[in-house]
Amino acid sequence: MAPRLCSISVAARRLLGGPGPRAGDVTAAAAARFYSKDNEGSWFRSLFVHKVDPRKDAHSTLLSKKETSNLYKIQFHNVKPEYLDAYNSLTEAVLPKLHLDEDYPCSLVGNWNTWYGEQDQAVHLWRFSGGYPALMDCMNKLKNNKEYLEFRRERSQMLLSRRNQLLLEFSFWNEPQPRLGPNIYELRTYKLKPGTMIEWGNNWARAIKYRQENQEAVGGFFSQIGELYVVHHLWAYKDLQSREETRNAAWRKRGWDENVYYTVPLVRHMESRIMIPLKISPLQ
């Protein structure tokens, strides 16, 4: 690092028009910031972003599980407030039939209402065993399912908006499995800077061990279609107090703070939802 500082100090003196102060002085630091303002590889940036080796493969190949070909779909439905109860009842009457029908290569992972976060919102997480071919097979069959088409028509009158994403699961996370309740669930969503997904995965592959003692880690996913460079971490807790205690305990483990230090600079935006399972949710 010393030679880099020396060269920047020389540049600073030239910019300032005189012999100038030494490398540690305030004016030289100001000139150094000007010197590296638009330099993506500047020494200043390298202090805050942990570098990873260049990769030639797609993120989905490097980060997802090799032993499975599961594809996930997450749906966010913003419901008209006066229809939330009716929406839940309709959902609970129809979706389990798809989950249990062996002709449809899809299964429910979890179904929730948002408790803290966006209000009057439903979140659904589906698994397609077999990847994209399973997704297309399911979609084609639903086009001829009269009950499902009627369900969609009735549901559309209850919604303000809806959106979805297709996701893959991180190789180092647990695969979501049904849970007995009662639990609350936290969906933490991170929107990353483009180009940083590998670095995020490298850090969390080491850090996930700090969050396993209370079985709170449910699943970790990254987007493939929809808004890109989005990560979802799903956690389960008995209640809000146990959530606070579990998260505080992580900070007392050596190494957790390093993960936070290296991953925070990768994030553009982050959001937390606290969710309550619907009656039909395999994750209770």
Side-chain angles (χ1 to χ4, degrees):
M1 182 67 75
R4 202 83 174 271
L5 285 171
C6 181
S7 65
I8 291 176
S9 179
V10 171
R13 288 198 296 270
R14 290 174 179 171
L15 286 169
L16 293 170
R22 295 179 180 178
D25 291 348
V26 174
T27 51
R33 285 196 297 271
F34 175 81
Y35 179 79
S36 61
K37 181 178 179 181
D38 294 316
N39 184 353
E40 291 297 329
S42 71
W43 69 273
F44 186 78
R45 291 174 187 268
S46 69
L47 293 176
F48 296 95
V49 179
H50 182 59
K51 302 299 182 186
V52 296
D53 293 334
R55 303 285 187 169
K56 295 183 179 180
D57 293 326
H59 292 173
S60 57
T61 302
L62 293 167
L63 295 173
S64 61
K65 292 185 177 179
K66 306 298 187 297
E67 65 273 17
T68 66
S69 57
N70 291 333
L71 180 70
Y72 292 82
K73 179 171 72 172
I74 191 167
Q75 299 172 304
F76 299 94
H77 291 172
N78 293 315
V79 185
K80 296 176 182 178
E82 65 272 22
Y83 283 113
L84 185 60
D85 289 340
Y87 170 92
N88 288 340
S89 296
L90 181 64
T91 295
E92 290 169 349
V94 176
L95 296 190
K97 296 178 182 179
L98 298 178
H99 174 74
L100 296 172
D101 193 333
E102 295 182 357
D103 287 337
Y104 291 87
C106 61
S107 58
L108 290 174
V109 177
N111 311 81
W112 303 271
N113 285 148
T114 301
W115 185 21
Y116 288 102
E118 290 191 63
Q119 297 294 283
D120 304 308
Q121 184 182 70
V123 180
H124 305 286
L125 183 62
W126 293 87
R127 180 191 293 117
F128 296 87
S129 300
Y132 291 107
L135 172 68
M136 296 308 299
D137 183 27
C138 191
M139 290 179 59
N140 289 331
K141 288 178 178 177
L142 288 175
K143 291 178 181 177
N144 298 312
N145 186 323
K146 293 182 179 180
E147 182 180 12
Y148 182 77
L149 295 175
E150 176 60 23
F151 159 74
R152 286 192 50 149
R153 186 197 64 77
E154 188 172 351
R155 186 190 65 183
S156 67
Q157 301 174 27
M158 304 177 181
L159 298 181
L160 292 170
S161 64
R162 59 192 179 102
R163 61 186 176 89
N164 59 23
Q165 290 176 321
L166 293 180
L167 315 170
L168 294 177
E169 55 187 331
F170 284 110
S171 60
F172 48 85
W173 270 79
N174 308 327
E175 182 173 338
Q177 298 295 336
R179 292 190 181 214
L180 298 176
N183 294 296
I184 62 171
Y185 289 82
E186 180 176 19
L187 183 65
R188 296 180 71 86
T189 299
Y190 304 88
K191 298 180 181 181
L192 305 184
K193 298 174 183 176
T196 60
M197 186 65 74
I198 294 292
E199 189 172 352
W200 178 275
N202 285 345
N203 281 287
W204 267 96
R206 295 188 294 269
I208 191 63
K209 62 184 178 182
Y210 302 115
R211 299 296 309 275
Q212 297 280 19
E213 289 183 4
N214 296 320
Q215 307 298 317
E216 68 267 27
V218 178
F221 313 91
F222 59 99
S223 61
Q224 281 290 284
I225 296 180
E227 187 173 4
L228 299 179
Y229 286 97
V230 176
V231 170
H232 299 288
H233 290 176
L234 184 61
W235 309 91
Y237 305 100
K238 291 300 180 185
D239 49 39
L240 289 174
Q241 182 62 34
S242 68
R243 171 187 177 272
E244 181 178 11
E245 293 169 357
T246 300
R247 289 175 56 80
N248 287 341
W251 284 100
R252 295 192 289 270
K253 298 172 184 175
R254 186 174 182 180
W256 175 252
D257 57 340
E258 182 179 353
N259 174 64
V260 175
Y261 176 82
Y262 283 130
T263 55
V264 164
L266 311 179
V267 178
R268 293 186 296 111
H269 176 79
M270 59 187 295
E271 182 179 5
S272 169
R273 288 177 176 83
I274 302 297
M275 308 183 301
I276 304 296
L278 298 182
K279 295 176 183 179
I280 61 171
S281 179
L283 289 169
Q284 285 295 311

